[in-house]
Structures are given as C-alpha cells and as structure tokens.
C-alpha cells in the first residue's frame, strides 16, 4: 500500500482543506510545497520498490487533489511537468535531475540556492534552475552524501561524495560557505570515453594514441599530470581500456569514479573520520592493503600526500604498469610535486634518494591541459630516462604546439614530434608489443 494507513478503513489520501502556508508564487515553490505535503501521506518505504509508471499514476491523482486545494489551475502540459518534478523530488535529486539527464552538461556548479551554472562544451552558462531556499538545497546535498555513507553539517561542513553513476560531488555549507551552500558536480559519461573518441575530439593524435596503447600494454608505469578539469580521469579511463582482461587490477580513490571495463577489478574507496574524529581510512592505508591483494596493476585515482611513497614502492616492487594522476602544470612540475608529497610521508630519506625512487618507478609522464576555448588536449608525452647527478632526466616525445586562435575563436595548433626516439622501444619488442611505424623526426606534424 503506497499510502500510509488511514485512521479509518481504506487507503489514506491527501487531506483536502488542511491549513495551508501563505501561497508563494513560482513553479519551484509550488513543486516543493506539494512534495512536502505528499511526504505526509506516502509510505516512503515502498517508494523505491514501486515502478516509476505506477508511481506516476498514483501521484497524479494526489497532485490533482492538492492543486485543487491550492486553488491552482494548470493545463495538461504544466500538470505533467509538475508531476515529473515531484517524482524527481521523491526519487531523485529535485531540480538537479534535468541537468543530470542532459548529456551535453559536463559540470554542474551551484552557487547558493538561487544560482546554478553548467558547463557545456567547455563553456560556462547560467541556467534557470533554482532551489526554493537554502534548506531545500541542503536537503538535496544530504540525500547525495547519505547514499555513500557520508554526512554534512556544521561540525563537518565539507564533503566529497559521488552519485550512483560515478559522478564526483563536492559540497561545502555554512559557516565555511559565507553566502550559502556551494556544490560542484563533475559528471561522467554513462559509457567511458575511449581513445577513439579522444581522437574524434582532437584531444590527441593517432600517432600518440598508438604510442600510449603500446606504453600500457608493455607495462610502463604512467603518471598523468594536469590542472583541475583538464581531463586526467577521462584519460586514465581511456588508457585502462588497453589493459588485458587477464590481469587483476586494484583501484584506489577518494571517491570511486573510475569506469574500468575489465572483469577482474577490485575497487577501494577511502573513508573519512566519523563525528568523533575516528575511523578514517586514508589512501595510504588502502595502497598498503592493495599490495596484499595480489594485484597485477594498481591504479590510484590521484595522489595528494604521503601515499605517493607507497605508490612508488608498488611500482618498484613488481606491479609494473601501474598508473596514477597528479595536479601539476608540466611534466617537470609533476615530478617535483611527487617529490614534495613523499616528503609528507614523514620518512627520513634524502632528496637524492627520493629522486632516485621516482626516476626508477615512473616511466612516462602525460600532460593534459584544458585550453582557453574549453577543449582538453594531451599537450605532452614525456619519458623519464634516469638521473643526471641530482636531477631527474626527462625527454619529451610528443607535444602540442599552439599557433594562435582559429576563425571560430578556438585555440589552433598541431601535435608534433620532438625528434626524440623513446628508449622504451626496445622494451616493447622484448614484451612482444607491436607498435605501428612512427616517424620521430623533429618537428614532424603528428597525425
């Protein structure tokens, strides 16, 4: 029985003539008010078990009665839209549902309850989406974070979470957010973006894609570097598609969002501290535990602190082909950041020893960048070739050379070779990995 039992026999129905709040004009206010009244009569325990179409029929009659009680007359189209909005409030994330269903939206940025921006095709635009008030927005935030066993309140006003489809969510509420709650949602495609799609988008050249396939198949350790929103995770997903189905992979993330297609994948996710400040499980703990799980490869979503040392240890002790990402603006900066993060582990290791560990563990650094026009490109593929005195030596193999602005305002340029032949070419042959012929002559336009 979808409706709560009535005091008399029969199903309960929304009570007509009940005291009403002061009418507030606007579709959002009406939707939220009807949703709140429906909650008084619905058996919430059966909502998730009731098919959406059956629920729609049940809700239509109740909404019609409540609209009559509100003295609001809507046409059929408006009524259908209101019912969809109410269903979104009951089953989904309210005003966010249309944006989450819109495949052209890649980011949703909520700046308080009254301002919502989205990113489409690399460009930010303001939407007409609104929440009724701060309480309404906070309720939606709590619905998101509760699904992954997390919480947000005044004692813990920042939270990272994810949606069921793997989309990444970050929320911060007052008192840290001065004007009201701030929410960022990084959406992910329902199906992972593969290398073929990156080629279509112009994010990479064909020669570069062939080289990256060989790099992954030959078990080179890869560090993907880039700024926020540069496509590091997307590229990591694309590279993971080249891993054999016969290998065991363990992924470690703060918020599980990788979309690996292999059948033998173990997914691990960190856990924040509870209200008493206990129970935290950090990435470093999971990396150490992963070493006991007999992985062929370990993939860390992003290294931020001391887990960088454990990741290098894994790469240096038989887990060849492992991959991770880091925030940095260039391949050289990426290696420097890894060195700094190893320092955060609190170990007594000399800088030279740290650099030797890095040079031995990391074979390839891939730099991704989000351009001024919103497009994301792989702007550099570099090989770590060892140490020269106290400096890690790297050589760039491919790069993206900017040439200015195109007629449509987009960044123009081309991928080109640097004249360096990778040293790991011999490793490919030894491992039986075939690489189509690539001309590494200096300045050659990469196709």
């Amino acid at each position: 029985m979808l409706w709560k039992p009535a005091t008399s026999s029969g199903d309960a129905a929304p009570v007509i003539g009940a005291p009403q709040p002061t009418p507030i004009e606007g579709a959002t206010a009406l939707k939220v008010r009807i949703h709140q009244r429906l909650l008084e009569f619905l058996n919430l325990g059966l909502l998730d078990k009731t098919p959406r179409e059956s629920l729609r029929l049940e809700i239509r009659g109740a909404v019609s009665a409540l609209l009559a009680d509100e003295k609001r007359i809507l046409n059929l189209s408006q009524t259908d839209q209101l019912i969809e909005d109410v269903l979104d409030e009951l089953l989904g994330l309210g005003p966010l549902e249309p944006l989450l269903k819109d495949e052209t939206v890649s980011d949703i940025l909520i700046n308080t309850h009254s301002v919502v921006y989205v990113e489409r095709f690399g460009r930010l635009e303001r939407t007409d989406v609104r929440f009724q008030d701060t309480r309404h927005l906070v309720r939606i935030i709590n619905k998101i974070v509760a699904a992954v066993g997390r919480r947000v309140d005044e004692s813990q006003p920042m939270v990272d979470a994810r949606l069921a489809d793997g989309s990444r969510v970050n929320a911060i509420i007052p008192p840290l957010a001065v004007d009201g709650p701030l929410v960022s949602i990084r959406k992910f495609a329902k199906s992972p973006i593969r290398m073929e799609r990156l080629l279509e988008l112009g994010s990479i050249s064909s020669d570069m894609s062939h080289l990256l396939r060989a790099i992954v198949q030959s078990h080179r350790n890869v560090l993907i570097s880039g700024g926020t929103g540069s496509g590091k995770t997307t590229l990591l997903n694309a590279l993971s598609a080249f891993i054999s189905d016969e290998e065991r992979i363990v992924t470690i993330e703060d918020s599980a969002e990788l979309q690996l297609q292999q059948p033998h994948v173990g997914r691990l996710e960190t856990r924040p501290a509870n209200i008493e400040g206990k129970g935290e499980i950090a990435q470093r703990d999971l990396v150490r535990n992963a070493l006991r799980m007999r992985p062929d490869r370990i993939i860390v979503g992003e290294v931020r602190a001391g887990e960088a040392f454990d990741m290098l240890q894994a790469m240096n002790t038989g887990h060849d082909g492992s991959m991770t990402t880091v925030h940095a603006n260039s391949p050289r900066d990426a290696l420097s950041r890894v060195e700094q993060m190893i320092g955060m582990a609190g170990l007594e290791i000399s800088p030279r020893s740290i650099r030797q560990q890095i040079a031995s563990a990391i074979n390839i650094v891939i730099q991704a960048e989000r351009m001024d026009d919103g497009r994301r490109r792989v702007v550099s593929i570099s090989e770590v070739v060892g140490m020269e005195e106290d400096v890690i030596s790297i050589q760039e193999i491919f790069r993206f050379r900017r040439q200015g602005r195109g007629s449509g305002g987009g960044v123009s340029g081309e991928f080109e070779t640097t004249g360096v032949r990778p040293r790991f070419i011999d490793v490919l042959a030894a491992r039986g990995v075939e690489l189509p012929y690539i001309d590494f002559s200096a300045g050659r336009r990469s196709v």
Side-chain angles (χ1 to χ4, degrees):
M1 185 166 57
L2 183 60
W3 305 102
K4 292 177 182 177
T7 52
S8 57
S9 61
D11 289 355
V15 179
I16 306 303
Q20 298 298 308
T22 303
I24 304 174
E25 292 299 322
T28 300
L30 176 65
K31 172 189 66 180
V32 173
R33 195 160 60 247
I34 287 180
H35 168 246
Q36 289 172 340
R37 294 193 63 193
L38 282 174
L39 290 179
E40 300 174 13
F41 310 107
L42 283 168
N43 186 340
L44 300 180
L46 294 179
L47 277 183
D48 293 336
K49 302 176 183 178
T50 306
R52 190 177 178 97
E53 286 305 314
S54 300
L55 188 59
R56 188 196 312 276
L57 293 175
E58 295 270 5
I59 295 297
R60 177 177 285 278
V63 168
S64 298
L66 291 172
L67 284 174
D69 199 28
E70 292 265 351
K71 297 182 173 57
R72 296 290 292 268
I73 300 176
L74 303 180
N75 60 34
L76 182 60
S77 175
Q78 291 171 326
T79 301
D80 286 342
Q81 184 59 54
L82 177 62
I83 291 171
E84 283 298 317
D85 290 345
V86 170
L87 286 172
D88 286 341
E89 287 285 340
L90 289 170
L91 303 177
L93 301 178
L96 294 179
E97 283 297 321
L99 300 180
L100 293 171
K101 295 173 184 174
D102 188 343
E103 294 186 2
T104 66
V105 173
S106 57
D107 283 88
I108 303 171
L109 307 171
I110 304 169
N111 302 339
T112 74
H113 72 277
S114 60
V115 181
V116 179
Y117 282 84
V118 298
E119 180 186 287
R120 284 190 175 93
F121 310 111
R123 300 285 188 179
L124 288 176
E125 58 184 67
R126 186 165 177 171
T127 71
D128 295 329
V129 172
R130 300 286 185 277
F131 297 84
Q132 184 186 22
D133 51 28
T134 296
R135 290 178 59 190
H136 182 204
L137 175 53
V138 170
R139 183 170 62 80
I140 296 297
I141 294 172
N142 278 313
K143 194 170 185 179
I144 293 172
V145 302
V148 291
R150 302 189 179 185
R151 62 184 179 81
V152 60
D153 52 36
E154 287 190 4
S155 64
Q156 190 170 333
M158 296 187 299
V159 67
D160 285 313
R162 57 179 164 80
L163 301 180
D165 64 358
S167 297
R168 182 193 314 164
V169 181
N170 174 267
I172 182 166
I173 66 171
L176 300 187
V178 178
D179 300 318
L182 303 175
V183 183
S184 304
I185 301 176
R186 171 69 52 81
K187 287 179 58 181
F188 287 90
K190 293 181 180 178
S191 58
I193 294 180
R194 293 184 173 271
M195 194 62 69
E196 292 79 7
R197 179 57 178 160
L198 296 181
L199 282 166
E200 293 174 9
L201 295 172
S203 299
I204 197 170
S205 74
S206 179
D207 286 343
M208 294 165 73
S209 71
H210 290 316
L211 186 67
L212 291 180
R213 175 190 291 270
I215 285 169
V216 174
Q217 292 178 342
S218 62
H219 290 251
R220 299 292 83 197
N221 294 322
V222 176
L223 176 66
I224 300 174
S225 167
T228 301
S230 59
K232 297 187 298 298
T233 303
T234 298
L235 182 57
L236 186 56
N237 274 320
L239 291 179
S240 69
F242 299 142
I243 299 175
S244 168
D245 288 349
E246 298 177 359
E247 297 184 56
R248 173 171 169 78
I249 308 166
V250 175
T251 68
I252 299 167
E253 302 171 85
D254 275 333
S255 184
E257 58 194 11
L258 290 173
Q259 300 170 294
L260 272 62
Q261 304 303 301
Q262 287 75 11
H264 202 170
V265 178
R267 305 173 72 204
L268 304 180
E269 185 178 59
T270 62
R271 185 178 71 185
N274 60 22
I275 195 170
E276 298 174 349
K278 300 178 180 178
E280 179 182 11
I281 304 296
Q283 274 197 347
R284 189 170 186 190
D285 302 317
L286 294 180
V287 172
R288 286 197 295 259
N289 187 81
L291 298 176
R292 306 183 183 102
M293 297 173 67
R294 198 263 176 222
D296 291 305
R297 303 186 194 229
I298 297 175
I299 298 179
V300 178
E302 181 182 342
V303 288
R304 297 187 180 90
E307 66 271 7
F309 176 76
D310 299 284
M311 185 68 195
L312 291 186
Q313 292 293 94
M315 291 177 171
N316 273 325
T317 54
H319 302 90
D320 295 335
S322 295
M323 295 183 276
T324 189
T325 72
V326 66
H327 274 79
N329 294 324
S330 70
R332 177 64 65 185
D333 288 345
L335 298 178
S336 296
R337 282 217 63 210
V338 171
E339 181 180 345
Q340 293 165 3
M341 287 186 284
I342 292 174
M344 297 179 188
L347 302 170
E348 294 294 331
I349 306 177
S350 69
R352 179 178 174 80
S353 295
I354 292 175
R355 290 171 195 151
Q356 286 176 332
Q357 288 263 12
I358 295 172
S360 174
I362 298 174
N363 305 123
I364 304 295
V365 182
I366 305 171
Q367 185 70 32
E369 183 178 328
R370 183 178 184 273
M371 301 288 181
D372 302 338
D373 58 1
R375 296 182 64 183
R376 296 164 174 86
R377 292 184 174 92
V378 175
V379 297
S380 175
I381 299 177
S382 302
E383 180 183 18
V384 179
V385 294
M387 294 276 293
E388 290 184 6
E389 296 182 352
D390 289 340
V391 179
I392 300 174
S393 179
I394 62 175
Q395 57 183 17
E396 192 172 43
I397 303 168
F398 284 100
R399 65 184 168 214
F400 178 78
R401 183 164 57 87
R402 294 180 62 143
Q403 297 174 330
R405 291 281 185 174
S407 57
V411 173
S412 64
E414 60 184 25
F415 299 103
E416 65 177 18
T417 53
T418 63
V420 173
R421 183 180 185 273
R423 293 190 183 181
F424 59 79
I425 292 293
D426 296 334
V427 176
L428 303 185
R431 289 182 174 267
V433 177
E434 295 184 2
L435 177 66
Y437 174 75
I438 298 175
D439 183 358
F440 291 104
S441 301
R444 186 186 65 82
R445 182 174 180 270
S446 176
V447 295

